[in-house]
Structure formats: C-alpha cells, structure tokens
Amino acid sequence: MAGVVVRNVGRADRAVVDAFAQYGVATVHEAQGRTGLLAAHVSPIYPGAHVAGSAVTVSVPPTDNWMIHVAVEQCREGDVLVVAPTAPSEAGYIGELLATALAARGVRGVVIDAGCRDVAELTRMAFPVWSKCVSALGTVKETLGDVNIAVVCAGQRVEPGDVIVADDDGVVAVPRDKAEEVLAACGAREEKEAASRARYQAGEISLDVQNMREALAEKGLRYVD
C-alpha cells in the first residue's frame, strides 16, 4: 500500500559522493562492470550539466506529482531527486517552482522517467533535470505514492542513498555500499585511459594499444591486397 515516507535514510560518505563528480557517466558505468546505467531515453534538458549526489527516491502515480512535494522535505544538500512513475507518463511533473524549492535545499538535480516543463527557466536557473521528455502537460495532487523506497527508474533499480552520476551521456546509479569500491575503480580506469591517450597522441592506433591483433586473427580476420 502506498503512502510511506522513509526519513533519515543512509547515504554514502559525502567526500566519496563528491569525488564521483570528477568522472563521467561512461567511466562510472564501465568501472562498475557496465552496470547501473539508466535507459537512454532519460536525457538532460540542457547540455553541459554534470552532477553527482545521493538519491532521494520518489514513487509517483501517473500524472500526479503530489509526492514530489512531500519528498522536498526529505532532501538535503548534495542530494539528487530520482522520480519513478508507477506507470508510463509523459506529464510535466517538475517545473520551475518545484526546482526552486529543491535548489534552496541544496539538491543538485532531478532524474525523472517522465516529463519536465519550464525548461527555459530551469536552464536560466542552471538547475539540471534528466527527463524522458519535455512536456507542458499538467499534473494533479490526488493519490499517494512513496518516498525513499527502492524504485525502478528508466529500467534501473535505485535505492535511497545510492550515488547518482549524471551528465550529457545519461545517468548511472552506484549502490551505496559499493561506492568506495567503484570510485577506486574509476580512478584506475582514468589512469589507464590517460596512458592510452598518450600513445594515441604519439601516433599509435588502437589495434596495437589495446592488443587487438591476435584476437582478431583468432576470429579469422584476413588482410588481402
């Protein structure tokens, strides 16, 4: 039965959460074994935004944003609001006024598997939203949902307190209890890529940098003149 607000949820260490901001979504996704990526239809409303924060999750009925208003009270500085409708919806759940309230509490952005509106104002505010679509369709306030329970947002399970990283490439979720491990893996991956980049800049190609030639030959690749 809907109508539950879980208060005082655990979050990963703040320094760990903040450190994820130096890495892109692609790096985080790859570093944790190509997991955690939300579906590609959730994309930023304007280019250049990049956030890392702790998830406050909201389960909402279709075309009803009442529980987002409830969730605002549970947010604190450094959070990212993750909104998942219980059935597909393209309504504009998030707009300028809710974003203003969230920004005042230090929320770093919103991820929603539904619509967003007031995009010009949100862009002017530099308040980032990753949404399924842009839609002016209004919502009602009639039916309860839940705050800070596990949700499935754009095909990805997100627990309250998970680390959310979002940029131009999309959104990825990192389980809270694996945040330090994944952060270390991100650093190792970046170091490896830096070494590869230097070799590319020196004129080498990926066939050699990534030692592809033997595997390609085993698959039967042949060169003919």
Side-chain angles (χ1 to χ4, degrees), residues 51-190:
V51 301
S54 298
V56 170
T57 61
V58 195
S59 176
V60 295
T63 321
D64 191 318
N65 77 345
W66 207 5
M67 294 307 293
I68 298 178
H69 292 266
V70 174
V72 171
E73 187 176 32
Q74 305 306 314
C75 293
R76 66 190 194 197
E77 204 280 323
D79 286 342
V80 173
L81 193 68
V82 178
V83 183
T86 55
S89 177
E90 294 185 350
Y93 285 79
I94 295 284
E96 177 195 6
L97 293 180
L98 269 171
T100 298
L102 290 165
R105 298 184 75 85
V107 172
R108 293 175 174 174
V110 172
V111 175
I112 178 168
D113 193 11
C116 171
R117 64 185 189 178
D118 301 334
V119 170
E121 290 85 354
L122 295 176
T123 302
R124 175 183 53 78
M125 292 168 57
F127 186 85
V129 176
W130 285 259
S131 67
K132 179 167 75 172
C133 61
V134 173
S135 173
L137 180 64
T139 55
V140 297
K141 296 169 180 61
E142 295 178 351
T143 307
L144 294 180
D146 300 292
V147 177
N148 280 331
I149 66 164
V151 299
V152 175
C153 184
Q156 181 63 47
R157 181 179 174 89
V158 180
E159 300 268 1
D162 284 352
V163 179
I164 302 296
V165 182
D167 64 13
D168 286 332
D169 290 341
V171 182
V172 65
V174 178
R176 176 168 61 99
D177 61 355
K178 295 183 178 179
E180 291 189 29
E181 174 188 339
V182 174
L183 182 64
C186 288
R189 183 175 179 83
E190 287 278 288

